[in-house]
Amino acid sequence: LRYAAEGERGVTPAAIATPVTTVGIDFLTTFDNRADITRATGSFITDGFVVGQVVETAGFTTTANNGEWKVLAVTALVLSVEDPDNLLVTEVADITQSVQIMLQKLRTTGRKIDRQVNVLESAEVDADGQDTDLRHGVNRILGSPGYQLSLADYDDMIRFAMGGEWYEVEVVSAGAISTTVSSGQKRFTRTTGSWTTDGFRTGDIVRLSGATDTAINKDWYVTNAGSLHLRVYDPDDLIQAGEAGTLVVTFPGRRVDLTPTMLSFLVEQAFQDVEQYRVFNGVVVDQMGFSITPEAMVGGTLNLLGISSSDFTGTPLTTSVANPTGSSPFAAFDGTLLLSSAESSVATSLEFTLQRRRS
């Protein structure tokens, strides 16, 4: 299975099969880790580019400008892409240069997705006992491929299920940050600004750096986020009040919020041994289940719904396909349940399901 996000639900983006040519690259010195792919005419939006897709650039004189990039933002004439190693450099548009939407391989434990055709059957019978009428009803796509969770490879499926985009919380070091202790509760305290305004929340994992006591320069679980205080879970009693040093608190990961937005994508089912392919359009994640048990891979099932499918053909949508990271699946052992910031019990397994009720 391979997939790509759709700009318009149920419509295959044109730039999957047909690259956009005559493009240039503008390296943005005002932003780290991103650059702009530009065009003078036409529209990236009309060609089906959307945030989160992986695109491939080709034909540039500078070798580093040819590669695979994640889309961060889209306007008609500008495609902003992630450039984590700051490899991209400015190069003016030329007819040899192109950008194309790639399909991405989906790591699964099965390829269960198919077209289901409802049948409408009349209850009337003729004198010969045969049905008087039978016809096809609504077609829909149903799928339930299993998966084993691994680093980065399911970011898209999670955001499709949540209906939001992944984003980062900015580094915070404004004003003086200190460690304080109140009734045994360990806190990172600031004198100005607001943790919550800056985007920090209860349940976050934050990273402390700059402490003289290097044992506390690590990641911490936030049990309560207030305006001036971040209360963190400290089971080993490492944090002491009045820590010296220039403390910096950062959000090391990314976050995706649950929204009512329905993000759709297409799925190409590829039977490469017999060179047969078909495309399912307008696919959404209706349900995503997670199973975390000891001595087992973390996994679950994706329940997919779609609106249409093509017939089998001997030609794939594109040969431009991005491979997964190949990172190993996560495994689980045990975890801790907190009640009012205190350890309540030890959890050895956890199963939960995100249901969007799209059907």
Side-chain angles (χ1 to χ4, degrees), residues 188 195 200-201 203-208 218-222 230-232 248-253 255:
F188 301 145
W195 294 113
F200 291 85
R201 303 175 185 171
D204 279 346
I205 301 294
V206 298
R207 180 167 296 165
L208 182 71
K218 53 183 284 188
D219 292 348
W220 299 93
Y221 176 74
V222 177
L230 276 184
R231 193 168 70 208
V232 297
V248 177
V249 177
T250 60
F251 186 80
R255 179 189 292 144

Side-chain angles (χ1 to χ4, degrees), residues 5-86:
E6 296 175 332
E8 180 181 350
R9 189 181 179 201
V11 177
T12 299
I16 290 180
T18 306
V20 175
T21 58
T22 316
V23 296
I25 288 179
D26 288 333
F27 174 67
L28 300 181
T29 57
T30 54
F31 294 95
D32 288 334
N33 304 326
R34 67 184 293 176
D36 284 346
I37 300 172
T38 60
R39 62 195 293 178
T41 60
S43 170
F44 285 120
I45 297 173
T46 302
D47 288 328
F49 290 87
V50 294
V51 172
Q53 289 172 338
V54 174
V55 299
E56 182 177 39
T57 50
F60 286 89
T61 302
T62 305
T63 303
N65 285 346
N66 299 314
E68 300 176 8
W69 317 98
K70 194 86 165 183
V71 177
L72 299 177
V74 184
T75 65
L77 300 179
V78 178
L79 193 68
S80 296
V81 298
E82 186 177 21
D83 180 17
D85 300 315
N86 289 324

Side-chain angles (χ1 to χ4, degrees), residues 1 111-117 139-145 269 271 278 280 304-306 308-310 312:
L1 300 180
R111 296 187 293 184
K112 187 177 180 182
I113 183 170
D114 209 342
R115 175 171 53 191
Q116 182 184 81
V117 181
N139 292 354
R140 62 176 179 171
I141 308 306
L142 294 176
S144 55
Q269 192 176 41
F271 296 94
R278 63 174 169 174
F280 303 100
L304 307 178
L305 293 176
S308 66
S309 75
S310 68
F312 279 106

Side-chain angles (χ1 to χ4, degrees), residues 27 45 161 177 227 243 256 258 280 282 297 311 320 336 344 352:
F27 174 67
I45 297 173
I177 298 174
S227 178
E243 163 61 37
V256 59
L258 183 66
F280 303 100
M297 301 297 187
D311 294 328
S320 183
T336 301
S344 171
F352 64 97

Side-chain angles (χ1 to χ4, degrees), residues 81-157:
V81 298
E82 186 177 21
D83 180 17
D85 300 315
N86 289 324
L87 297 176
L88 294 172
V89 297
T90 298
E91 192 167 341
V92 298
D94 186 89
I95 59 172
T96 64
Q97 296 160 189
S98 66
V99 59
Q100 181 177 11
I101 300 170
M102 303 184 73
L103 294 180
Q104 296 173 252
K105 288 185 179 178
L106 179 63
R107 296 173 67 176
T108 64
T109 58
R111 296 187 293 184
K112 187 177 180 182
I113 183 170
D114 209 342
R115 175 171 53 191
Q116 182 184 81
V117 181
N118 289 341
V119 176
L120 308 179
E121 183 177 0
S122 173
E124 295 182 50
V125 294
D126 288 337
D128 58 5
Q130 300 301 307
D131 294 339
T132 61
D133 196 1
L134 186 145
R135 70 191 76 164
H136 284 170
V138 175
N139 292 354
R140 62 176 179 171
I141 308 306
L142 294 176
S144 55
Y147 70 93
Q148 292 180 330
L149 193 64
S150 57
L151 182 65
D153 288 326
Y154 294 91
D155 285 2
D156 281 337
M157 292 300 121

